[in-house]
Amino acid sequence: MIRLTNLTKSFWTPDGPKYVADDISVTFPSGVSVGLLGRNGAGKSTMMQMISGTIRADHGTIETTGTVSWPVGFAGSFHRDLTGAQNTRFIARVYGVDTDELLDFVKDFAELGSHFHLPIRSYSAGMRSRLAFGVSIGIPFDTYLVDEVTSVGDADFRRKSRLVFLERMRTSGALMVSHSDQQLRDFCTAGAVLENGRLTYFDDIEDAIRQHNINLGTISGEDD
């Protein structure tokens, strides 16, 4: 469960404060995969970062039960001078999971070959993304935070990522950001729409997608 209470976050612009969260109070239930929708710049990634603890809110609280991942696929916490294997080992120790099991999983999943034992600074962006996804999904969390993660890699890697993530969703919940309505339908049962700093929760992902498209003006708000 993730509960936001009076959550507020703004950024200063030449025109004054821009609120990405304006006194939001909502609860994401345990074990439910929720698609987070909103137009570009609405603050979806900022919302994910606040929930993961990498950005602080101006006001309000975030309460969680169970374990919550960092944004899946986020590579910003890797130490550039350590190898992929060393970074993986360090993260395993931080999260209290079996080091050898995580190393074996990531080595097989990320498909980095000998680069797994080279410093991160030598990696391409795609290699860092594959490593980050492998480490993230290799740790069993109760809730995964997912920001466009299945766009990583080539078609075969994306297919493999999708299958692994679907398997994780059998026993975990998620909060997912994606620009693909179909991807949200594939992974999520519920949805939430972020618009002008307000967050509206929907038990049905189809209702959330419809409201988002109404906000964008791509469909009418009138019933057919």
Side-chain angles (χ1 to χ4, degrees):
M1 179 273 294
I2 300 173
R3 178 179 292 122
L4 315 180
T5 305
N6 305 124
L7 192 70
T8 302
K9 179 67 178 179
S10 64
F11 296 98
W12 282 97
T13 73
D15 298 322
K18 172 180 172 55
Y19 284 88
V20 296
D22 188 1
D23 199 35
I24 291 173
S25 293
V26 68
T27 298
F28 300 112
S30 299
V32 176
S33 294
V34 181
L36 179 59
L37 298 99
R39 64 183 75 227
N40 289 337
K44 301 183 297 297
S45 293
T46 300
M47 178 67 67
M48 300 281 269
Q49 290 171 321
M50 285 193 290
I51 292 172
S52 70
T54 58
I55 288 181
R56 296 184 64 179
D58 298 336
H59 304 288
T61 60
I62 300 173
E63 302 172 78
T64 62
T65 58
T67 55
V68 179
S69 78
W70 63 89
V72 171
F74 176 67
S77 60
F78 288 146
H79 194 298
R80 288 173 51 83
D81 291 328
L82 297 180
T83 68
Q86 289 170 329
N87 274 281
T88 300
R89 186 177 291 109
F90 174 77
I91 292 170
R93 290 170 178 166
V94 168
Y95 282 89
V97 299
D98 187 279
T99 302
D100 291 335
E101 285 187 9
L102 186 60
L103 278 169
D104 289 343
F105 176 86
V106 174
K107 182 178 180 180
D108 177 68
F109 183 86
E111 301 175 356
L112 296 173
S114 61
H115 286 87
F116 191 50
H117 300 286
L118 294 178
I120 294 288
R121 55 181 161 76
S122 68
Y123 286 21
S124 66
M127 292 167 65
R128 287 195 300 272
S129 295
R130 295 203 306 274
L131 176 66
F133 185 85
V135 173
S136 303
I137 209 68
I139 299 175
F141 290 103
D142 295 310
T143 303
Y144 289 90
L145 304 179
V146 187
D147 195 345
E148 296 287 356
V149 71
T150 53
S151 62
V152 170
D154 59 19
D156 287 340
F157 189 83
R158 290 196 299 272
R159 189 178 304 111
K160 180 172 69 171
S161 299
R162 181 179 184 277
L163 291 174
V164 171
F165 191 71
L166 283 171
E167 181 63 29
R168 282 284 187 261
M169 291 304 94
R170 293 178 180 271
T171 56
S172 303
L175 183 60
M176 172 179 280
V177 172
S178 175
H179 287 94
S180 167
D181 289 353
Q182 188 56 53
Q183 189 174 80
L184 293 176
R185 290 185 175 102
D186 289 343
F187 288 107
C188 304
T189 56
V193 180
L194 185 61
E195 177 78 2
N196 295 325
R198 300 291 185 175
L199 188 69
T200 306
Y201 182 85
F202 297 86
D203 290 318
D204 190 326
I205 186 62
E206 291 297 339
D207 292 336
I209 291 172
R210 175 175 172 77
Q211 183 59 56
H212 173 57
N213 286 324
I214 290 172
N215 292 345
L216 294 178
T218 56
I219 64 171
S220 167
E222 299 177 0
D223 293 333
D224 293 335

